[in-house]
């Protein structure tokens, strides 16, 4: 495991295994949504939107990881007000790569845990907005 | 307690709602500051607002300021402002911009109950909610509507963060405080006299 911080996961979820499974299942769609917001903001050079989206991503990542992927998101958030050296696009590529690795790791853990936990409840209506994470929770 | 979670990231709203429900409270959610204001206006049973700092429309601190101006009416009169908790992934000394640090410090100054740095766990949130719950049950015994309104007005003055306004307010209130102090002494004297006369009979 490179990215998942089990200590962090225990801190975030305690003994709520089903909640962990549910959040893992929606992690990919939510992080993809935020990455799209970041890409659009970079293209439009909209620093306010970039800052808000990178912070959103930082929060989502922080639920599972305290390693390099969280540092990358934090670095992007710091660049978001101004990017004089034009580093953001390369940084975003690394971030996307790390995010997919994190997602793979999370799904492996979820697969191992799933047989031992009660089935996660379906998310209640209204928890996900129309613009962010409005994607049905897919099965693991 | 009924807790309003304000966050523009759906994943966090969902995660926090489950956390709140696991702590045996009721969660309601808003995806923006403006929706949160509308909900606060229409739902006087919301006791706590758990708001993100950095959001697309208004930030968490501005939401608090806007909420101070809201009139929340119930059958019993005006409802007290809920307690506000600020959440942020912007950590001073790590990834927070100077503006964020300024906002976090301002939040502490103007009346937020606490600041939680993301990611936080159930235990940290649970501790804060317990403190709020304990405080508000004392409040219901100790505070009447007028006292609560006075406290809200004082919070509004503090929220201006303007020394001149605070100065003016203190000068104005000073005279009234003197009158209230005189009244309280008079009441104490009356009460002592009553006790003494009761003792004589």
């Amino acid at each position: 495991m490179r990215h998942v911080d089990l200590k962090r996961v225990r801190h975030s979820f305690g003994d709520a295994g089903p909640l962990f499974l549910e959040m893992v299942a929606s992690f990919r769609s939510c992080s993809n949504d935020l990455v799209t917001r970041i890409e659009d903001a970079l293209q439009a050079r909209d620093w306010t939107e970039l800052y808000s989206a990178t912070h959103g991503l930082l929060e989502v990542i922080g639920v599972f990881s305290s390693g390099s992927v969280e540092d990358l998101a934090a670095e992007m958030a710091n660049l978001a007000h101004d990017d004089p050296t034009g580093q953001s696009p390369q940084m975003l590529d690394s971030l996307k790569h790390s995010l997919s690795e994190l997602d793979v790791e999370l799904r492996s853990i979820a697969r191992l845990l799933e047989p031992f936990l009660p089935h996660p409840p379906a998310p209640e209506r209204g928890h996900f907005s129309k613009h962010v994470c409005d994607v049905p929770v897919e099965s693991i | 307690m009924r807790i309003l979670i304000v966050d523009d990231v759906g994943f966090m709203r969902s995660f926090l709602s489950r956390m709140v429900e696991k702590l045996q409270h009721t969660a309601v959610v808003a995806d923006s500051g403006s929706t949160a204001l509308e909900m606060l206006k229409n739902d006087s049973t919301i006791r706590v607002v758990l708001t993100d700092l950095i959001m697309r429309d208004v930030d968490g601190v501005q939401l608090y300021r806007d909420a101070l101006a809201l009139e929340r009416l119930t059958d019993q009169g005006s409802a007290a402002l809920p307690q506000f908790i600020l959440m942020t992934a912007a950590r001073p000394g790590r990834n927070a911009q100077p503006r964020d640090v300024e906002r976090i410090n301002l939040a502490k100054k103007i009346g937020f109950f606490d600041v939680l740095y993301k990611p936080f766990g159930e235990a940290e949130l649970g501790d804060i909610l317990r403190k709020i719950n304990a405080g508000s049950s004392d409040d219901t015994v100790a505070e009447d509507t007028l006292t609560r309104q006075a406290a809200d007005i004082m919070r509004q003055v503090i929220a201006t963060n303007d020394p001149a306004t605070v100065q003016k307010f203190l000068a104005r209130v000073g005279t009234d405080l003197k009158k209230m102090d005189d009244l309280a002494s008079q009441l104490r004297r009356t009460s002592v006299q009553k006790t003494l006369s009761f003792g004589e009979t």
Side-chain angles (χ1 to χ4, degrees), chain B:
Chain B
M1 289 191 292
R2 197 165 169 79
I3 296 166
L4 173 61
I5 296 160
V6 193
D7 202 308
D8 59 349
V9 177
F11 181 92
M12 294 311 295
R13 285 198 302 280
S14 182
F15 175 59
L16 294 167
S17 302
R18 300 303 164 92
M19 199 189 270
V20 161
E21 278 156 15
K22 205 162 163 261
L23 290 164
Q24 308 295 316
H25 297 289
T26 307
V28 282
V29 295
D31 62 1
S32 66
S34 47
T35 311
L37 269 183
E38 203 55 40
M39 289 173 77
L40 283 172
K41 203 168 156 186
N42 297 322
D43 185 347
S44 58
T45 62
I46 294 169
R47 299 258 305 275
V48 178
V49 179
L50 194 56
T51 178
D52 195 19
L53 173 65
I54 301 159
M55 291 186 287
R56 271 169 148 173
D57 58 348
V58 294
D59 73 21
V61 176
Q62 189 56 47
L63 168 63
Y64 175 77
R65 285 179 151 166
D66 293 344
L68 284 171
L70 278 183
E71 200 173 0
R72 302 170 78 217
L73 294 170
T74 66
D75 290 344
Q76 285 77 41
S78 66
L81 188 74
Q83 292 289 357
F84 275 66
I85 303 169
L86 188 70
M87 311 179 285
T88 180
R91 285 178 183 263
R94 193 179 165 216
N95 61 333
Q97 296 288 329
R99 185 189 142 83
D100 302 328
V101 179
E102 214 174 272
R103 301 300 274 176
I104 293 166
N105 290 337
L106 180 61
K108 290 175 183 166
K109 217 173 3 171
I110 63 178
F112 272 74
F113 191 84
D114 217 328
V115 177
L116 275 170
Y117 292 99
K118 291 179 182 174
F120 53 85
E122 196 184 302
E124 287 158 277
L125 179 62
D127 279 349
I128 295 177
L129 294 179
R130 262 190 299 279
K131 278 185 209 158
I132 291 178
N133 212 3
S136 47
S137 40
D138 290 348
D139 285 352
T140 49
V141 176
E143 284 191 356
D144 56 22
T145 311
L146 280 174
T147 311
R148 261 205 311 266
Q149 282 173 349
D152 282 348
I153 290 167
M154 278 189 263
R155 280 199 275 187
Q156 284 181 45
V157 173
I158 296 166
T160 63
N161 204 30
D162 173 25
T165 308
V166 174
Q167 197 82 40
K168 225 186 282 175
F169 179 78
L170 283 175
R172 174 67 187 81
V173 158
T175 339
D176 293 336
L177 278 179
K178 176 81 183 66
K179 281 181 199 162
M180 284 172 80
D181 202 32
D182 291 345
L183 184 62
S185 317
Q186 201 181 321
L187 284 171
R188 271 195 300 273
R189 274 198 303 272
T190 317
S191 149
V192 169
Q193 277 164 0
K194 267 188 187 163
T195 314
L196 288 175
S197 59
F198 180 74
E200 282 166 5
T201 53

Side-chain angles (χ1 to χ4, degrees), chain A residues 40-48 82-83:
Chain A
D40 292 348
L42 270 176
Q43 211 161 14
R45 300 183 67 79
D46 181 346
W47 304 120
T48 312
D82 186 22
D83 183 16

Side-chain angles (χ1 to χ4, degrees), chain A residues 4-5 9 13 20 23-24 27 60-65 106, chain B residues 11:
Chain A
V4 176
D5 179 346
V9 168
F13 295 94
F20 172 74
M23 292 291 103
V24 168
F27 174 76
V60 172
I61 292 168
V63 172
F64 303 105
S65 172
L106 285 171
Chain B
F11 181 92

Side-chain angles (χ1 to χ4, degrees), chain A residues 31-95:
Chain A
S31 53
N32 282 349
D33 214 337
L34 288 161
V35 166
T36 307
R37 268 179 67 188
I38 292 173
E39 282 171 332
D40 292 348
L42 270 176
Q43 211 161 14
R45 300 183 67 79
D46 181 346
W47 304 120
T48 312
E49 168 64 359
L50 184 59
Y51 191 56
S52 152
T54 46
H55 261 274
L57 189 58
L58 185 61
E59 291 166 12
V60 172
I61 292 168
V63 172
F64 303 105
S65 172
S66 63
S68 56
V69 62
E70 194 190 27
D71 293 341
L72 259 174
E75 238 176 284
M76 274 221 77
N78 278 339
L79 277 185
H81 274 282
D82 186 22
D83 183 16
T85 53
Q87 281 175 286
S88 300
Q90 292 90 327
M91 210 177 266
L92 182 60
D93 283 341
S94 316
L95 187 59

